[in-house]
PDB file of all heavy atoms in Angstrom:
ATOM      1  N   ASP A  26     -10.946 -72.674  59.382  1.00  0.00           N
ATOM      2  CA  ASP A  26     -11.451 -71.596  60.206  1.00  0.00           C
ATOM      3  C   ASP A  26     -12.856 -71.912  60.743  1.00  0.00           C
ATOM      4  O   ASP A  26     -13.413 -71.290  61.642  1.00  0.00           O
ATOM      5  CB  ASP A  26     -11.483 -70.278  59.226  1.00  0.00           C
ATOM      6  CG  ASP A  26     -12.678 -70.497  58.292  1.00  0.00           C
ATOM      7  OD1 ASP A  26     -12.506 -71.388  57.436  1.00  0.00           O
ATOM      8  OD2 ASP A  26     -13.600 -69.664  58.245  1.00  0.00           O
ATOM      9  N   GLN A  27     -13.420 -72.996  60.183  1.00  0.00           N
ATOM     10  CA  GLN A  27     -14.732 -73.370  60.759  1.00  0.00           C
ATOM     11  C   GLN A  27     -14.570 -73.676  62.238  1.00  0.00           C
ATOM     12  O   GLN A  27     -15.496 -73.431  63.078  1.00  0.00           O
ATOM     13  CB  GLN A  27     -15.274 -74.558  60.053  1.00  0.00           C
ATOM     14  CG  GLN A  27     -16.692 -74.963  60.473  1.00  0.00           C
ATOM     15  CD  GLN A  27     -17.527 -73.813  60.243  1.00  0.00           C
ATOM     16  OE1 GLN A  27     -17.512 -72.900  59.409  1.00  0.00           O
ATOM     17  NE2 GLN A  27     -18.568 -73.712  61.145  1.00  0.00           N
ATOM     18  N   LEU A  31     -16.429 -72.140  65.297  1.00  0.00           N
ATOM     19  CA  LEU A  31     -16.951 -72.980  66.362  1.00  0.00           C
ATOM     20  C   LEU A  31     -16.700 -72.462  67.817  1.00  0.00           C
ATOM     21  O   LEU A  31     -17.520 -72.422  68.588  1.00  0.00           O
ATOM     22  CB  LEU A  31     -16.504 -74.376  66.181  1.00  0.00           C
ATOM     23  CG  LEU A  31     -17.563 -75.522  66.473  1.00  0.00           C
ATOM     24  CD1 LEU A  31     -18.723 -75.466  65.544  1.00  0.00           C
ATOM     25  CD2 LEU A  31     -16.823 -76.862  66.158  1.00  0.00           C
ATOM     26  N   LYS A  33     -15.955 -69.631  68.435  1.00  0.00           N
ATOM     27  CA  LYS A  33     -16.533 -68.266  68.632  1.00  0.00           C
ATOM     28  C   LYS A  33     -17.895 -68.537  69.287  1.00  0.00           C
ATOM     29  O   LYS A  33     -18.482 -67.594  70.015  1.00  0.00           O
ATOM     30  CB  LYS A  33     -16.635 -67.471  67.390  1.00  0.00           C
ATOM     31  CG  LYS A  33     -15.316 -66.785  67.013  1.00  0.00           C
ATOM     32  CD  LYS A  33     -15.785 -65.721  65.946  1.00  0.00           C
ATOM     33  CE  LYS A  33     -14.567 -64.789  65.552  1.00  0.00           C
ATOM     34  NZ  LYS A  33     -14.932 -64.060  64.401  1.00  0.00           N
ATOM     35  N   LEU A  34     -18.538 -69.515  68.780  1.00  0.00           N
ATOM     36  CA  LEU A  34     -19.926 -69.789  69.227  1.00  0.00           C
ATOM     37  C   LEU A  34     -20.008 -70.133  70.715  1.00  0.00           C
ATOM     38  O   LEU A  34     -21.010 -70.024  71.309  1.00  0.00           O
ATOM     39  CB  LEU A  34     -20.509 -70.923  68.404  1.00  0.00           C
ATOM     40  CG  LEU A  34     -20.806 -70.582  66.934  1.00  0.00           C
ATOM     41  CD1 LEU A  34     -21.456 -71.644  66.198  1.00  0.00           C
ATOM     42  CD2 LEU A  34     -21.694 -69.318  66.749  1.00  0.00           C
ATOM     43  N   LEU A  49     -19.825 -85.198  69.546  1.00  0.00           N
ATOM     44  CA  LEU A  49     -20.894 -85.656  68.705  1.00  0.00           C
ATOM     45  C   LEU A  49     -20.202 -86.204  67.297  1.00  0.00           C
ATOM     46  O   LEU A  49     -20.546 -87.187  66.771  1.00  0.00           O
ATOM     47  CB  LEU A  49     -21.775 -84.550  68.360  1.00  0.00           C
ATOM     48  CG  LEU A  49     -23.148 -84.449  69.066  1.00  0.00           C
ATOM     49  CD1 LEU A  49     -23.868 -83.170  68.596  1.00  0.00           C
ATOM     50  CD2 LEU A  49     -23.991 -85.683  68.693  1.00  0.00           C
ATOM     51  N   PHE A  50     -19.246 -85.371  66.935  1.00  0.00           N
ATOM     52  CA  PHE A  50     -18.605 -85.661  65.775  1.00  0.00           C
ATOM     53  C   PHE A  50     -17.815 -86.989  65.948  1.00  0.00           C
ATOM     54  O   PHE A  50     -17.912 -87.918  64.976  1.00  0.00           O
ATOM     55  CB  PHE A  50     -17.666 -84.587  65.282  1.00  0.00           C
ATOM     56  CG  PHE A  50     -16.667 -84.814  64.230  1.00  0.00           C
ATOM     57  CD1 PHE A  50     -17.083 -85.020  62.929  1.00  0.00           C
ATOM     58  CD2 PHE A  50     -15.312 -85.060  64.559  1.00  0.00           C
ATOM     59  CE1 PHE A  50     -16.197 -85.353  61.937  1.00  0.00           C
ATOM     60  CE2 PHE A  50     -14.412 -85.328  63.453  1.00  0.00           C
ATOM     61  CZ  PHE A  50     -14.869 -85.468  62.194  1.00  0.00           C
ATOM     62  N   GLU A  52     -18.582 -89.440  67.882  1.00  0.00           N
ATOM     63  CA  GLU A  52     -19.626 -90.598  67.894  1.00  0.00           C
ATOM     64  C   GLU A  52     -20.060 -90.870  66.599  1.00  0.00           C
ATOM     65  O   GLU A  52     -19.963 -92.013  66.096  1.00  0.00           O
ATOM     66  CB  GLU A  52     -20.833 -90.143  68.858  1.00  0.00           C
ATOM     67  CG  GLU A  52     -20.661 -90.258  70.238  1.00  0.00           C
ATOM     68  CD  GLU A  52     -21.770 -89.749  70.995  1.00  0.00           C
ATOM     69  OE1 GLU A  52     -22.846 -89.891  70.451  1.00  0.00           O
ATOM     70  OE2 GLU A  52     -21.602 -89.155  72.038  1.00  0.00           O
ATOM     71  N   ASP A  53     -20.486 -89.894  65.824  1.00  0.00           N
ATOM     72  CA  ASP A  53     -20.909 -89.982  64.537  1.00  0.00           C
ATOM     73  C   ASP A  53     -20.008 -90.649  63.601  1.00  0.00           C
ATOM     74  O   ASP A  53     -20.236 -91.599  62.777  1.00  0.00           O
ATOM     75  CB  ASP A  53     -21.276 -88.597  63.866  1.00  0.00           C
ATOM     76  CG  ASP A  53     -22.769 -88.356  63.845  1.00  0.00           C
ATOM     77  OD1 ASP A  53     -23.471 -88.956  64.745  1.00  0.00           O
ATOM     78  OD2 ASP A  53     -23.296 -87.565  62.968  1.00  0.00           O
ATOM     79  N   HIS A  80     -21.057 -88.633  52.380  1.00  0.00           N
ATOM     80  CA  HIS A  80     -21.690 -87.199  52.290  1.00  0.00           C
ATOM     81  C   HIS A  80     -21.785 -86.772  53.774  1.00  0.00           C
ATOM     82  O   HIS A  80     -21.481 -85.597  54.158  1.00  0.00           O
ATOM     83  CB  HIS A  80     -22.899 -87.281  51.587  1.00  0.00           C
ATOM     84  CG  HIS A  80     -23.592 -85.850  51.658  1.00  0.00           C
ATOM     85  ND1 HIS A  80     -23.060 -84.797  51.136  1.00  0.00           N
ATOM     86  CD2 HIS A  80     -24.858 -85.661  52.210  1.00  0.00           C
ATOM     87  CE1 HIS A  80     -23.964 -83.797  51.317  1.00  0.00           C
ATOM     88  NE2 HIS A  80     -25.038 -84.204  52.076  1.00  0.00           N
ATOM     89  N   GLN A  81     -22.511 -87.640  54.621  1.00  0.00           N
ATOM     90  CA  GLN A  81     -22.687 -87.358  55.963  1.00  0.00           C
ATOM     91  C   GLN A  81     -21.330 -87.027  56.698  1.00  0.00           C
ATOM     92  O   GLN A  81     -21.138 -85.989  57.398  1.00  0.00           O
ATOM     93  CB  GLN A  81     -23.325 -88.611  56.629  1.00  0.00           C
ATOM     94  CG  GLN A  81     -24.710 -88.892  56.287  1.00  0.00           C
ATOM     95  CD  GLN A  81     -25.502 -88.147  57.344  1.00  0.00           C
ATOM     96  OE1 GLN A  81     -25.129 -87.651  58.374  1.00  0.00           O
ATOM     97  NE2 GLN A  81     -26.789 -87.936  56.889  1.00  0.00           N
ATOM     98  N   GLY A  84     -20.059 -83.716  55.586  1.00  0.00           N
ATOM     99  CA  GLY A  84     -20.824 -82.689  56.200  1.00  0.00           C
ATOM    100  C   GLY A  84     -20.358 -82.383  57.601  1.00  0.00           C
ATOM    101  O   GLY A  84     -20.062 -81.233  57.982  1.00  0.00           O
ATOM    102  N   SER A  85     -20.290 -83.509  58.324  1.00  0.00           N
ATOM    103  CA  SER A  85     -19.961 -83.252  59.809  1.00  0.00           C
ATOM    104  C   SER A  85     -18.501 -82.820  59.953  1.00  0.00           C
ATOM    105  O   SER A  85     -18.216 -81.838  60.873  1.00  0.00           O
ATOM    106  CB  SER A  85     -20.263 -84.527  60.604  1.00  0.00           C
ATOM    107  OG  SER A  85     -19.644 -85.574  59.951  1.00  0.00           O
ATOM    108  N   SER A  88     -18.191 -79.302  59.180  1.00  0.00           N
ATOM    109  CA  SER A  88     -18.815 -78.513  60.232  1.00  0.00           C
ATOM    110  C   SER A  88     -17.963 -78.188  61.316  1.00  0.00           C
ATOM    111  O   SER A  88     -17.945 -77.091  61.960  1.00  0.00           O
ATOM    112  CB  SER A  88     -20.198 -79.217  60.749  1.00  0.00           C
ATOM    113  OG  SER A  88     -21.291 -78.654  60.094  1.00  0.00           O
ATOM    114  N   ILE A  89     -17.130 -79.257  61.748  1.00  0.00           N
ATOM    115  CA  ILE A  89     -16.296 -78.867  62.789  1.00  0.00           C
ATOM    116  C   ILE A  89     -14.928 -78.355  62.411  1.00  0.00           C
ATOM    117  O   ILE A  89     -14.053 -78.075  63.137  1.00  0.00           O
ATOM    118  CB  ILE A  89     -15.937 -80.059  63.767  1.00  0.00           C
ATOM    119  CG1 ILE A  89     -15.267 -81.219  62.952  1.00  0.00           C
ATOM    120  CG2 ILE A  89     -17.284 -80.633  64.330  1.00  0.00           C
ATOM    121  CD1 ILE A  89     -14.282 -81.885  63.948  1.00  0.00           C
ATOM    122  N   ALA A 152      -6.820 -66.089  66.794  1.00  0.00           N
ATOM    123  CA  ALA A 152      -7.472 -65.032  65.934  1.00  0.00           C
ATOM    124  C   ALA A 152      -7.867 -63.719  66.694  1.00  0.00           C
ATOM    125  O   ALA A 152      -7.596 -63.755  67.935  1.00  0.00           O
ATOM    126  CB  ALA A 152      -8.638 -65.536  65.230  1.00  0.00           C
TER     127      ALA A 152
ATOM    128  N   MET B 397     -11.622 -64.507  56.397  1.00  0.00           N
ATOM    129  CA  MET B 397     -10.554 -64.607  57.382  1.00  0.00           C
ATOM    130  C   MET B 397      -9.988 -63.191  57.501  1.00  0.00           C
ATOM    131  O   MET B 397      -9.568 -62.776  58.687  1.00  0.00           O
ATOM    132  CB  MET B 397      -9.504 -65.636  56.753  1.00  0.00           C
ATOM    133  CG  MET B 397      -9.937 -67.076  56.760  1.00  0.00           C
ATOM    134  SD  MET B 397     -10.806 -67.461  58.322  1.00  0.00           S
ATOM    135  CE  MET B 397      -9.496 -67.638  59.459  1.00  0.00           C
ATOM    136  N   LEU B 400     -12.022 -61.362  59.737  1.00  0.00           N
ATOM    137  CA  LEU B 400     -11.750 -61.755  61.126  1.00  0.00           C
ATOM    138  C   LEU B 400     -10.573 -61.216  61.658  1.00  0.00           C
ATOM    139  O   LEU B 400     -10.421 -60.717  62.788  1.00  0.00           O
ATOM    140  CB  LEU B 400     -11.838 -63.284  61.241  1.00  0.00           C
ATOM    141  CG  LEU B 400     -13.087 -63.984  60.926  1.00  0.00           C
ATOM    142  CD1 LEU B 400     -12.907 -65.559  60.873  1.00  0.00           C
ATOM    143  CD2 LEU B 400     -14.150 -63.744  62.204  1.00  0.00           C
ATOM    144  N   THR B 404      -9.309 -58.423  65.011  1.00  0.00           N
ATOM    145  CA  THR B 404      -8.355 -58.645  66.124  1.00  0.00           C
ATOM    146  C   THR B 404      -7.415 -57.493  66.327  1.00  0.00           C
ATOM    147  O   THR B 404      -7.370 -56.543  65.614  1.00  0.00           O
ATOM    148  CB  THR B 404      -7.478 -59.920  65.808  1.00  0.00           C
ATOM    149  OG1 THR B 404      -6.710 -59.605  64.652  1.00  0.00           O
ATOM    150  CG2 THR B 404      -8.279 -61.120  65.630  1.00  0.00           C
ATOM    151  N   ASP B 859     -29.772 -83.677  58.618  1.00  0.00           N
ATOM    152  CA  ASP B 859     -29.722 -85.119  59.025  1.00  0.00           C
ATOM    153  C   ASP B 859     -28.424 -85.354  59.796  1.00  0.00           C
ATOM    154  O   ASP B 859     -28.326 -86.346  60.442  1.00  0.00           O
ATOM    155  CB  ASP B 859     -29.826 -85.920  57.769  1.00  0.00           C
ATOM    156  CG  ASP B 859     -28.803 -85.676  56.721  1.00  0.00           C
ATOM    157  OD1 ASP B 859     -28.513 -84.504  56.610  1.00  0.00           O
ATOM    158  OD2 ASP B 859     -28.246 -86.636  56.225  1.00  0.00           O
ATOM    159  N   ASN B 860     -27.519 -84.460  59.519  1.00  0.00           N
ATOM    160  CA  ASN B 860     -26.188 -84.653  60.153  1.00  0.00           C
ATOM    161  C   ASN B 860     -26.175 -83.878  61.455  1.00  0.00           C
ATOM    162  O   ASN B 860     -26.307 -82.672  61.719  1.00  0.00           O
ATOM    163  CB  ASN B 860     -25.114 -83.977  59.290  1.00  0.00           C
ATOM    164  CG  ASN B 860     -23.722 -84.369  59.679  1.00  0.00           C
ATOM    165  OD1 ASN B 860     -23.468 -84.201  60.819  1.00  0.00           O
ATOM    166  ND2 ASN B 860     -22.873 -84.698  58.677  1.00  0.00           N
ATOM    167  N   ARG B 861     -25.929 -84.831  62.507  1.00  0.00           N
ATOM    168  CA  ARG B 861     -26.005 -84.388  63.922  1.00  0.00           C
ATOM    169  C   ARG B 861     -25.095 -83.176  64.109  1.00  0.00           C
ATOM    170  O   ARG B 861     -25.348 -82.194  64.874  1.00  0.00           O
ATOM    171  CB  ARG B 861     -25.699 -85.483  64.840  1.00  0.00           C
ATOM    172  CG  ARG B 861     -26.872 -86.379  65.181  1.00  0.00           C
ATOM    173  CD  ARG B 861     -26.655 -87.149  66.394  1.00  0.00           C
ATOM    174  NE  ARG B 861     -25.548 -87.966  66.383  1.00  0.00           N
ATOM    175  CZ  ARG B 861     -24.948 -88.534  67.435  1.00  0.00           C
ATOM    176  NH1 ARG B 861     -25.434 -88.184  68.609  1.00  0.00           N
ATOM    177  NH2 ARG B 861     -23.930 -89.320  67.390  1.00  0.00           N
ATOM    178  N   VAL B 862     -23.846 -83.372  63.662  1.00  0.00           N
ATOM    179  CA  VAL B 862     -22.858 -82.351  63.912  1.00  0.00           C
ATOM    180  C   VAL B 862     -23.243 -81.009  63.266  1.00  0.00           C
ATOM    181  O   VAL B 862     -23.191 -79.831  63.990  1.00  0.00           O
ATOM    182  CB  VAL B 862     -21.461 -82.802  63.262  1.00  0.00           C
ATOM    183  CG1 VAL B 862     -20.425 -81.818  63.676  1.00  0.00           C
ATOM    184  CG2 VAL B 862     -21.110 -84.173  63.919  1.00  0.00           C
ATOM    185  N   ASN B 863     -23.613 -81.127  62.059  1.00  0.00           N
ATOM    186  CA  ASN B 863     -24.034 -79.809  61.317  1.00  0.00           C
ATOM    187  C   ASN B 863     -25.180 -79.233  62.083  1.00  0.00           C
ATOM    188  O   ASN B 863     -25.214 -78.034  62.266  1.00  0.00           O
ATOM    189  CB  ASN B 863     -24.529 -80.280  59.917  1.00  0.00           C
ATOM    190  CG  ASN B 863     -23.331 -80.582  59.025  1.00  0.00           C
ATOM    191  OD1 ASN B 863     -22.214 -80.410  59.445  1.00  0.00           O
ATOM    192  ND2 ASN B 863     -23.682 -80.984  57.795  1.00  0.00           N
ATOM    193  N   ALA B 865     -25.906 -79.476  65.291  1.00  0.00           N
ATOM    194  CA  ALA B 865     -25.441 -78.892  66.440  1.00  0.00           C
ATOM    195  C   ALA B 865     -24.741 -77.553  66.162  1.00  0.00           C
ATOM    196  O   ALA B 865     -24.920 -76.496  66.855  1.00  0.00           O
ATOM    197  CB  ALA B 865     -24.400 -79.888  67.162  1.00  0.00           C
ATOM    198  N   VAL B 866     -23.930 -77.471  65.075  1.00  0.00           N
ATOM    199  CA  VAL B 866     -23.241 -76.268  64.842  1.00  0.00           C
ATOM    200  C   VAL B 866     -24.187 -75.142  64.445  1.00  0.00           C
ATOM    201  O   VAL B 866     -24.145 -74.069  64.877  1.00  0.00           O
ATOM    202  CB  VAL B 866     -22.178 -76.523  63.715  1.00  0.00           C
ATOM    203  CG1 VAL B 866     -21.600 -75.202  63.242  1.00  0.00           C
ATOM    204  CG2 VAL B 866     -21.124 -77.439  64.165  1.00  0.00           C
ATOM    205  N   GLY B 869     -26.133 -74.044  67.359  1.00  0.00           N
ATOM    206  CA  GLY B 869     -25.134 -73.254  68.150  1.00  0.00           C
ATOM    207  C   GLY B 869     -24.941 -71.875  67.723  1.00  0.00           C
ATOM    208  O   GLY B 869     -25.098 -70.881  68.438  1.00  0.00           O
ATOM    209  N   ALA B 870     -24.757 -71.731  66.375  1.00  0.00           N
ATOM    210  CA  ALA B 870     -24.605 -70.495  65.828  1.00  0.00           C
ATOM    211  C   ALA B 870     -25.777 -69.611  66.042  1.00  0.00           C
ATOM    212  O   ALA B 870     -25.672 -68.409  66.354  1.00  0.00           O
ATOM    213  CB  ALA B 870     -24.196 -70.646  64.262  1.00  0.00           C
ATOM    214  N   LYS B 873     -26.474 -68.526  69.508  1.00  0.00           N
ATOM    215  CA  LYS B 873     -25.470 -67.486  69.876  1.00  0.00           C
ATOM    216  C   LYS B 873     -26.047 -66.060  69.719  1.00  0.00           C
ATOM    217  O   LYS B 873     -25.860 -65.126  70.388  1.00  0.00           O
ATOM    218  CB  LYS B 873     -24.187 -67.506  69.097  1.00  0.00           C
ATOM    219  CG  LYS B 873     -23.101 -66.791  69.733  1.00  0.00           C
ATOM    220  CD  LYS B 873     -21.911 -66.521  68.850  1.00  0.00           C
ATOM    221  CE  LYS B 873     -20.955 -65.521  69.333  1.00  0.00           C
ATOM    222  NZ  LYS B 873     -20.041 -65.070  68.397  1.00  0.00           N
ATOM    223  N   GLN B 905     -29.414 -81.590  50.991  1.00  0.00           N
ATOM    224  CA  GLN B 905     -29.223 -82.939  50.669  1.00  0.00           C
ATOM    225  C   GLN B 905     -29.426 -83.756  52.016  1.00  0.00           C
ATOM    226  O   GLN B 905     -28.616 -83.769  53.011  1.00  0.00           O
ATOM    227  CB  GLN B 905     -27.783 -83.161  50.179  1.00  0.00           C
ATOM    228  CG  GLN B 905     -27.626 -84.477  49.395  1.00  0.00           C
ATOM    229  CD  GLN B 905     -26.277 -84.429  48.659  1.00  0.00           C
ATOM    230  OE1 GLN B 905     -25.406 -83.576  48.840  1.00  0.00           O
ATOM    231  NE2 GLN B 905     -26.069 -85.619  48.117  1.00  0.00           N
ATOM    232  N   PRO B 975     -20.308 -74.061  56.037  1.00  0.00           N
ATOM    233  CA  PRO B 975     -20.810 -73.848  57.455  1.00  0.00           C
ATOM    234  C   PRO B 975     -21.032 -72.273  57.551  1.00  0.00           C
ATOM    235  O   PRO B 975     -20.656 -71.497  56.879  1.00  0.00           O
ATOM    236  CB  PRO B 975     -19.440 -74.088  58.282  1.00  0.00           C
ATOM    237  CG  PRO B 975     -18.439 -74.227  57.235  1.00  0.00           C
ATOM    238  CD  PRO B 975     -18.977 -74.585  56.025  1.00  0.00           C
TER     239      PRO B 975
END
Side-chain angles (χ1 to χ4, degrees):
Chain A
D26 73 303
Q27 186 55 32
L31 217 60
K33 274 191 176 174
L34 293 179
L49 257 179
F50 169 67
E52 280 175 35
D53 255 25
H80 174 65
Q81 286 272 341
S85 50
S88 265
I89 68 144
Chain B
M397 292 316 284
L400 289 173
T404 59
D859 61 319
N860 190 314
R861 277 203 298 165
V862 180
N863 288 354
V866 173
K873 193 194 170 196
Q905 203 170 356

